[in-house]
Amino acid sequence: MRFASLGSGSKGNATLLETNQSCLLIDCGFTIKETERRMARLGRSPTDLAAILVTHEHSDHIKGVLPLARKYKLPVYCSYGTGEYGQIRLSHHWKNLALGVAIDIGGISVTPVAVPHDAREPCQFVFRYQKKTFGLLTDLGSITPFVREHYRRCDALLLECNHDVTMLANGPYPYSLKQRVGGDWGHLNNQQAASLLAEAEVGHLQHVVMAHLSEQNNTPALARAAIEPMLANSDALLSADQDAGFDWLEIA
């Protein structure tokens, strides 16, 4: 099993997960043309995809989903609430995901995990294939016991490190947006991300990718300073980029 990012941040998000059986796209916050270009950079095309999975309906995650699904005739898996966006639920592409219930998609066991975020029915995902586990966890404002339990033992983790608390407080955002981003239904700060790892079985982690970093309210160096002390192997720590994403990472 391996994974890669087409891009991560407020301007667009998309992640690829691949096994020798299938390839899944998680979220698509880019236009069809941009998605095709970014996939080609990773040696892939939308024709390689078995399905698109959607975490929630915010535009940086969903705006390219239906256009891509229509063009390439792909199923779209998301919760009922997320499916209300743009009438995805009424499309023949839509497949319902029951949060907390594992489902097989292309030979991969996919568990949609409910998270606290300001969306209709948001989730994140834990993927299992041949006794290996990949956790994707972004776009949540707080870490619930339910989230901790599902992400406790991963072999690789894509983890939101959205903002530094001090940078957000002193930054350019209006007060209302600062409250939203930093609230329990917003986005994880660096210390919250570190606290998740503090209670996880980090000895299993082959890769930890810091994702969804705010360009205004965080830096890779600040995120790394918070996360690195929590890891058994600091060489496992990488950062996802808005423009470049990151290249394929193998889960051995």
Side-chain angles (χ1 to χ4, degrees):
M1 184 161 60
R2 64 178 189 164
F3 63 104
S5 171
L6 277 63
S8 177
S10 59
K11 296 176 183 176
N13 296 272
T15 305
L16 286 174
L17 177 68
E18 182 177 84
T19 69
N20 56 12
Q21 290 183 258
S22 60
C23 185
L24 306 178
L25 178 66
I26 303 99
D27 290 337
C28 185
F30 305 105
T31 64
I32 292 177
K33 183 176 181 181
E34 185 66 11
T35 300
E36 292 169 338
R37 185 186 73 81
R38 290 177 182 238
M39 286 190 71
R41 185 178 66 204
L42 294 164
R44 290 293 173 266
S45 160
T47 57
D48 298 318
L49 296 174
I52 306 172
L53 284 67
V54 186
T55 59
H56 64 296
E57 76 277 7
H58 291 166
S59 63
D60 57 324
H61 293 262
I62 204 172
K63 70 180 180 182
V65 168
L66 264 186
L68 195 72
R70 289 179 181 130
K71 179 174 180 179
Y72 290 96
K73 299 178 174 56
L74 296 168
V76 175
Y77 290 83
C78 65
S79 69
Y80 190 95
T82 300
E84 292 290 313
Y85 173 86
Q87 297 188 321
I88 288 177
R89 189 175 56 79
L90 302 180
S91 165
H92 70 275
H93 297 282
W94 180 65
K95 306 290 183 183
N96 186 44
L97 285 178
L99 303 194
V101 179
I103 183 175
D104 184 285
I105 303 175
I108 302 169
S109 175
V110 180
T111 302
V113 180
V115 295
H117 193 51
D118 55 353
R120 288 182 177 93
E121 194 181 0
C123 69
Q124 294 296 310
F125 296 106
V126 174
F127 303 90
R128 293 181 176 87
Y129 180 76
Q130 293 185 350
K131 298 182 180 180
K132 295 299 179 182
T133 301
F134 168 56
L136 189 153
L137 185 63
T138 69
D139 294 79
L140 70 163
S142 52
I143 300 171
T144 64
F146 187 73
V147 168
R148 287 192 188 279
E149 183 59 35
H150 277 82
Y151 290 87
R152 186 177 302 278
R153 191 186 188 282
C154 292
D155 297 287
L157 181 61
L158 182 68
L159 177 62
E160 176 168 66
C161 299
N162 177 257
H163 61 279
D164 171 77
V165 171
T166 302
M167 282 189 72
L168 178 65
N170 298 329
Y173 283 5
Y175 178 76
S176 60
L177 184 54
K178 290 179 181 180
Q179 291 294 103
R180 173 191 170 268
V181 171
D184 287 345
W185 299 83
H187 293 272
L188 292 186
N189 63 52
N190 296 336
Q191 295 303 325
Q192 287 173 305
S195 76
L196 177 79
L197 293 172
E199 297 186 18
E201 297 179 26
V202 294
H204 293 281
L205 285 167
Q206 299 175 31
H207 308 289
V208 178
V209 182
M210 303 176 294
H212 218 300
L213 273 70
S214 169
E215 294 179 353
Q216 291 80 23
N217 303 305
N218 208 359
T219 68
L222 284 171
R224 176 175 283 272
I227 298 298
E228 195 169 48
M230 302 297 112
L231 298 178
N233 175 19
S234 61
D235 291 339
L237 188 59
L238 301 168
S239 180
D241 184 76
Q242 176 68 87
D243 295 324
F246 58 86
D247 207 346
W248 290 106
L249 294 172
E250 193 88 23
I251 305 173

